[in-house]
Amino acid sequence: MTEPTPVGDPPPSQDPTHVGGATRAPLAEGENPEATPLAQARKAYAIISDVLSPKRIALLLAGAALLLSGSFGGWDQVEAVEKEAPTVAVGATTTVGPFDVAIQRAYVTDAMGSTLPKSAGKRYLIVVADVRTTGNQPQDAYELKRVVALAALGLAQNGPAAYRLSDGGRAGALQPSLTYQVALAWEQATSAAVPAEARVLLSSVTWRRSSNDGSYYWLDPEPAGSVTLPLRPLAES
Amino acid sequence: MTFTREGLVTVLLVIGALTVGSVVVERLPKAEDVMDQRFVTYGTLGQSVGLRTGTITVTKVEASRTVSSALGRAVTNGIFVILHVEVTAIGKPLSLDPDDARLVALDGRQFGGDTPVSTACGPAQPGVPLECEFTLEAVPDALAGAHVRLPAAATLIVGPPETEFADIDLGITGAGSADLGAQTAPIKLRGPRPKGA
């Protein structure tokens, strides 16, 4: 007589490697059949723990945080302090790339002959400088816009205009081996206060190929000097 | 993936071939080098120099610290060199821009560009010689042995740069340079005019 076929759930299998018909490798010694993520992480860390100690991991994370912070501008304040322009004496020569510049005098006026005509709502802040081209080719005075700035409120965006003191004409090409006395004139809105003194900021620039169009320009301004000098009315000079 | 000796040799050969190719390409003339190559015709003071656009002759050299034109007056603590130039166009009208001229000193210094006082030079009509003055601001110690370089046509703001030039020896000796550097009498530019006018 044969044994009757059992009805209902089959009895628990005695072989844990054959659950529900599936087959898996036998558990290693000490392995937990239902490892938690924490346990898995511990196991993964165990592989590299001889190289990356917790202290080293902390250092790496700190370094990564600094790099990430820098990429989002977190170092700007530090860089601003590092790039603070050095103070330059009045009359001292500073090399700013295309030119050697020595700031000499500063004036404020409503007009200067026919060169800077009187106009409602604006005045002129004028800085007189000795300018000498550094290379062996002429440099356009237009480049002075890149290297000389005036710290004052209400200045027009397109300044300064450069004029030759020798004849009052607009400064064009500045030739090598010649030192020019140049008047740099900024238009200032009369609604803005006349600064108590003139603070002239010099930037040095580098002659390099532009990544935009492949041509060479004076680029990458870096603070090169700060000159503070009295701002006198032009009529008194 | 297995590494075999043949595979390694192949990789080394490919890298070697690429390196040789790179060196060869670097040493071959590039298209832009050929395109930017300058065509220079040499001449001397008083000699006509033929260019594709016409002929150019520097007939006389003057100097002064003060130069004026109908539009203004300029003073320099260097020296203004005034070149009297005769231009004859070929085929079509020709205009030259005095700001394109460069005075080249023996030591390589170059002078020119946007001069405080200058007059136009053109248009010169084909076959009709035009006289004009080119003003260049320089320093007296650059004059001895100096050349002037004039482009065949006015340089445009856009488009390819001019590649054809006349290079003219101004024939200034050491003594001549001292003489020019000492000139103080103001010079008035007349502007472009037909030859002899």
Side-chain angles (χ1 to χ4, degrees):
Chain A
M1 185 177 167
T2 57
E3 198 170 324
T5 305
V7 178
D9 292 334
S13 170
Q14 298 299 311
D15 183 359
T17 61
H18 293 79
V19 180
T23 302
R24 57 159 291 180
L27 289 173
E29 188 178 349
E31 183 181 1
N32 185 346
E34 294 181 7
T36 63
L38 182 61
Q40 288 176 342
R42 278 181 179 160
K43 184 184 170 191
Y45 175 66
I47 300 171
I48 56 169
S49 60
D50 56 334
V51 178
L52 288 177
S53 64
K55 188 178 175 184
R56 286 178 179 169
I57 290 176
L59 282 172
L60 282 174
L61 287 175
L66 279 174
L67 283 174
L68 202 61
S69 168
S71 65
F72 284 98
W75 294 351
D76 288 355
Q77 290 293 324
V78 180
E79 287 174 350
V81 172
E82 287 177 348
K83 292 178 180 176
E84 186 74 26
T87 300
V88 175
V90 174
T93 299
T94 304
T95 300
V96 292
F99 307 111
D100 288 337
V101 177
I103 303 297
Q104 302 288 1
R105 306 183 293 279
Y107 301 103
V108 57
T109 184
D110 291 333
M112 189 175 76
S114 59
T115 304
L116 301 174
K118 189 174 177 111
S119 177
K122 70 180 178 186
R123 68 172 74 91
Y124 301 98
L125 304 180
I126 300 171
V127 171
V128 175
D130 291 346
V131 179
R132 187 180 178 93
T133 296
T134 53
N136 64 356
Q137 295 195 30
Q139 294 288 341
D140 200 298
Y142 183 85
E143 301 292 347
L144 286 166
K145 291 175 187 283
R146 299 181 195 269
V147 296
V148 184
L150 187 63
L153 296 174
L155 298 182
Q157 292 289 318
N158 58 348
Y163 301 93
R164 300 156 56 104
L165 248 59
S166 61
D167 49 34
R170 184 183 55 79
L174 303 182
Q175 310 298 332
S177 307
L178 266 177
T179 300
Y180 294 83
Q181 277 203 311
V182 174
L184 300 166
W186 285 264
E187 289 181 13
Q188 186 191 36
T190 50
S191 56
V194 177
E197 54 190 5
R199 184 163 174 254
V200 181
L201 303 172
L202 301 174
S203 300
S204 65
V205 288
T206 304
W207 183 249
R208 70 165 175 85
R209 187 189 292 270
S210 165
S211 56
N212 285 337
D213 62 2
S215 300
Y216 278 83
Y217 301 98
W218 291 103
L219 298 169
D220 307 329
E222 293 282 340
S226 169
V227 186
T228 303
L229 64 168
L231 188 61
R232 293 178 291 175
L234 184 61
E236 288 182 9
S237 59
Chain B
M1 195 168 93
T2 57
F3 290 100
T4 62
R5 193 167 60 180
E6 290 76 10
L8 183 63
V9 169
T10 304
V11 168
L12 290 175
L13 281 174
V14 169
I15 292 173
L18 288 172
T19 305
V20 170
S22 172
V23 170
V24 169
V25 166
E26 278 180 11
R27 288 172 184 265
L28 286 174
K30 296 175 178 59
E32 52 265 35
D33 294 339
V34 176
M35 294 286 286
D36 295 341
Q37 191 174 355
R38 290 186 165 181
F39 298 91
V40 182
T41 305
Y42 296 92
T44 56
L45 184 70
Q47 179 185 7
S48 291
V49 175
L51 303 172
R52 74 173 194 284
T53 54
T55 59
I56 297 177
T57 312
V58 177
T59 57
K60 183 180 169 187
V61 180
E62 288 185 294
S64 177
R65 296 185 186 276
T66 307
V67 176
S68 61
S69 72
L71 298 176
R73 171 177 166 272
V75 179
T76 179
N77 58 348
I79 193 79
F80 285 120
V81 178
I82 294 92
L83 305 177
H84 293 259
V85 178
E86 187 179 308
V87 181
T88 306
I90 297 174
K92 61 180 183 179
L94 170 63
S95 289
L96 299 179
D97 185 350
D99 289 353
D100 291 336
R102 289 290 180 276
L103 186 86
V104 184
L106 278 180
D107 60 9
R109 284 177 294 169
Q110 295 186 20
F111 301 84
D114 186 4
T115 309
V117 170
S118 67
T119 54
C121 187
Q125 302 302 328
V128 181
L130 187 77
E131 290 180 334
C132 37
E133 298 104 353
F134 284 26
T135 305
L136 296 126
E137 189 178 23
V139 287
D141 69 22
L143 299 185
H147 291 225
V148 66
R149 203 179 61 212
L150 305 169
T155 301
L156 303 173
I157 294 175
V158 294
E162 178 59 57
T163 56
E164 186 178 7
F165 294 87
D167 187 298
I168 297 170
D169 183 348
L170 297 176
I172 303 173
T173 61
S177 121
D179 184 43
L180 286 171
Q183 297 297 316
T184 55
I187 294 175
K188 185 171 176 58
L189 305 178
R190 296 177 60 195
R193 64 228 173 248
K195 184 179 180 181

